[in-house]
Amino acid sequence: MIAVLALAFTLYLTLARRDAWPFTRYPMFSSYLDPAHVRVVCFALETRDGQLHWWHPRFYRYPDKLGRKAAGGDTAVKLWCVSEVIRLIRLEEGDTLHYRAIHVIERKWVHGDSQDLTIASVPLPACPRAH
Amino acid sequence: MPTDPSRLFLSLYCGSIALQTALHYREQLQFFRTQPARIYGPAPLLLGLIRLPSGANEALFAFAGAGFISTLAAAACGFVPRLMLAAALICFLIYFAPILPLGYIQRKVNLIPIVLTVLMVAPGRTIPLVKIAIAMVYLSGALEKLRNAGIRWMDGRSLQGRLIEHYLYTQRPQALWLARRSGLCRTLSVLVLVWELSFWLVIVFPPLAWIYVPAGLAFHAGTAVAMRIHYWIYFCPAYFVFAAPWLSTRI
């Protein structure tokens, strides 16, 4: 009876479009996204020798979560996102001394290729932080 | 003498979830230390009502994880399974809530408490009830697509859009390779929606599992390769429910 109630509750949430964790719907990728309207914000790291790398942390969902927040927010939100990127790099690599700057880059899909525009750049200090 | 299919499923399911958690335990602890709540917000309330205790307490989190692994392993071995399943269910709620944003966790673990509840309270009806639980996941996915995008979700362009979005975030070449094949995207979109919408047929006509189950495994393999959506770790062990009746006559 309890098992049937749990399944019935899941069905109710599905039909009523509500979530009550751990009973949830599965709406991922359900909205329509035209390729022409794809626009994302990514973070790139500029190393001291001038090379540019996309930020690929170990926990791979952080870049798109922070990118979505940065895309939908004002300058203050974008700066907060950069501060979180710095925090996560420090947790993973120990410090950010290897990098000269973090660039916030808007990426669009135009005529079958990516088109990138730097919308903000935040320089990073060359010396360790004073604690 | 054949093994009981429900008992076999319990061992396979609990054993594989315990093993997966043991293999990923260190990584999950490291993710906890990144304080995902700063970015994703606080962990969800249990049933939307009750705040869980593990949010900022690493010792409790680590203890709950160890408890989850050991109680599931004990249940898999047949050691007081109902009591162990109840303990695993409590550990699940404390352990997974703060690390839900981790890529291969998210909603992919939400089937676990349902399956554990079924194993605990209805051991004699495990096989059909777990099949229903899996079918409801796919039905939910299909209904959300139809409600949010309508039938045009099947035109393939939305899948292309998702793949391109994923490529722009991750530079993953597999996503771009598939996104550039509009005919294949259209075919896959139709197949995915039809498959999700009709997966419940395996409950009514069990032989259809020979078609739907390999299709499901192929679907999850495809999303893992193209978009790093890993249902293998915590969701796909539930597919043992389709193998258990067949295996039980051969063990």
Side-chain angles (χ1 to χ4, degrees), chain B residues 2-67:
Chain B
T3 313
D4 173 33
S6 298
R7 181 70 192 80
L8 182 61
F9 171 72
L10 186 153
S11 293
L12 291 170
Y13 184 78
C14 293
S16 55
I17 297 287
L19 182 64
Q20 292 286 16
T21 308
L23 290 173
H24 294 89
Y25 183 71
R26 187 181 159 86
E27 183 183 45
Q28 289 166 1
L29 187 59
Q30 284 169 345
F31 183 71
F32 179 89
R33 288 176 179 152
T34 68
Q35 302 172 51
R38 285 173 61 106
I39 294 167
Y40 288 87
L45 304 178
L46 175 61
L47 299 175
L49 300 169
I50 304 160
R51 183 160 303 287
L52 293 159
S54 59
N57 187 333
E58 185 177 317
L60 178 60
F61 171 80
F63 182 74

Side-chain angles (χ1 to χ4, degrees), chain A residues 17 21 31-32 58 62 84, chain B residues 30 34 38 47 155 162:
Chain A
R17 308 184 82 181
W21 188 78
S31 59
Y32 193 86
R58 177 177 184 187
Y62 274 136
E84 283 299 298
Chain B
Q30 284 169 345
T34 68
R38 285 173 61 106
L47 299 175
D155 69 9
R162 293 294 169 192

Side-chain angles (χ1 to χ4, degrees), chain B residues 111-134:
Chain B
L111 195 62
I112 294 174
I114 296 171
V115 174
L116 295 185
T117 303
V118 168
L119 288 168
M120 194 169 52
V121 301
R125 295 187 175 83
T126 296
I127 301 296
L129 290 175
V130 172
K131 284 180 183 176
I132 291 170
I134 295 171

Side-chain angles (χ1 to χ4, degrees), chain B residues 57-216:
Chain B
N57 187 333
E58 185 177 317
L60 178 60
F61 171 80
F63 182 74
F68 184 66
I69 295 165
S70 51
T71 51
L72 279 183
C77 296
F79 179 71
V80 282
R82 283 193 173 187
L83 183 64
M84 290 299 134
L85 289 167
L89 192 55
I90 293 166
C91 291
F92 169 90
L93 297 172
I94 297 169
Y95 182 68
F96 283 101
I99 56 168
L100 280 180
L102 188 52
Y104 57 81
I105 293 184
Q106 300 185 319
R107 291 172 197 258
K108 301 164 189 79
V109 297
N110 290 354
L111 195 62
I112 294 174
I114 296 171
V115 174
L116 295 185
T117 303
V118 168
L119 288 168
M120 194 169 52
V121 301
R125 295 187 175 83
T126 296
I127 301 296
L129 290 175
V130 172
K131 284 180 183 176
I132 291 170
I134 295 171
M136 287 221 282
V137 170
Y138 295 131
L139 182 65
S140 170
L143 291 179
E144 290 292 329
K145 289 177 182 73
L146 289 174
R147 284 161 155 176
N148 288 330
I151 204 77
R152 72 175 180 151
W153 192 90
M154 291 196 291
D155 69 9
R157 284 191 59 76
S158 191
L159 177 57
Q160 281 183 295
R162 293 294 169 192
L163 289 162
I164 288 166
E165 183 184 51
H166 185 74
Y167 170 73
L168 292 179
Y169 274 130
T170 66
Q171 297 77 52
R172 196 168 176 79
Q174 297 92 328
L176 185 61
W177 181 89
L178 183 54
R180 289 202 155 129
R181 283 152 181 83
S182 53
L184 186 55
C185 283
R186 191 161 43 247
T187 305
L188 289 174
S189 297
V190 172
L191 288 175
V192 165
L193 193 58
V194 170
W195 171 78
E196 284 187 330
L197 209 51
S198 59
F199 192 90
W200 57 270
L201 286 170
V202 300
I203 303 160
V204 187
F205 307 109
L208 282 176
W210 288 102
I211 297 167
Y212 277 81
V213 169

Side-chain angles (χ1 to χ4, degrees), chain A residues 19-59:
Chain A
D19 286 340
W21 188 78
F23 300 95
T24 59
R25 299 167 296 137
Y26 292 82
M28 301 79 73
F29 308 106
S30 62
S31 59
Y32 193 86
L33 180 62
D34 193 303
H37 298 149
V38 174
R39 187 169 302 194
V40 304
V41 168
C42 296
F43 302 93
L45 308 174
E46 185 184 344
T47 56
R48 294 278 162 207
D49 58 8
Q51 291 185 52
L52 214 57
H53 303 281
W54 295 112
W55 178 49
H56 286 307
R58 177 177 184 187
F59 300 112

